[in-house]
Amino acid sequence: MSRIDPAKKNELPVSDALENASRVSAVEAEKKKWMEDNRAAFAAYDALVDRLGLFGEEYRNFE
């Protein structure tokens, strides 16, 4: 699907569709950068959960 297809589907001007697509791309890039910047924190949290478990985990029903 090209960037122009949503404009045709919603009858939006092509320039609006391209602007929206570039805005979405910018948000996705920012999200990816945030994930990369915080990768060490995620790993540390995962290690902590592996070591200690989660609060209330013993009360969950794992059927």
Side-chain angles (χ1 to χ4, degrees), residues 3-4 7-8 12-19:
R3 291 181 175 186
I4 296 174
K8 290 179 183 175
L12 296 172
V14 173
S15 61
D16 288 351
L18 292 175
E19 182 179 323

Side-chain angles (χ1 to χ4, degrees), residues 40-63:
F42 298 140
Y45 176 76
D46 289 342
L48 182 70
V49 170
D50 287 343
R51 188 166 48 97
L52 300 177
L54 293 172
F55 176 76
E57 191 171 31
E58 65 272 14
Y59 301 112
R60 290 184 62 184
N61 186 2
F62 291 106
E63 291 180 19

Side-chain angles (χ1 to χ4, degrees), residues 23-56:
R23 200 173 309 132
V24 168
S25 295
V27 169
E28 288 298 319
E30 186 175 325
K31 178 181 169 183
K32 184 177 179 180
K33 182 181 179 329
W34 184 86
M35 294 286 288
E36 290 170 4
D37 290 348
N38 290 287
R39 190 168 310 279
F42 298 140
Y45 176 76
D46 289 342
L48 182 70
V49 170
D50 287 343
R51 188 166 48 97
L52 300 177
L54 293 172
F55 176 76

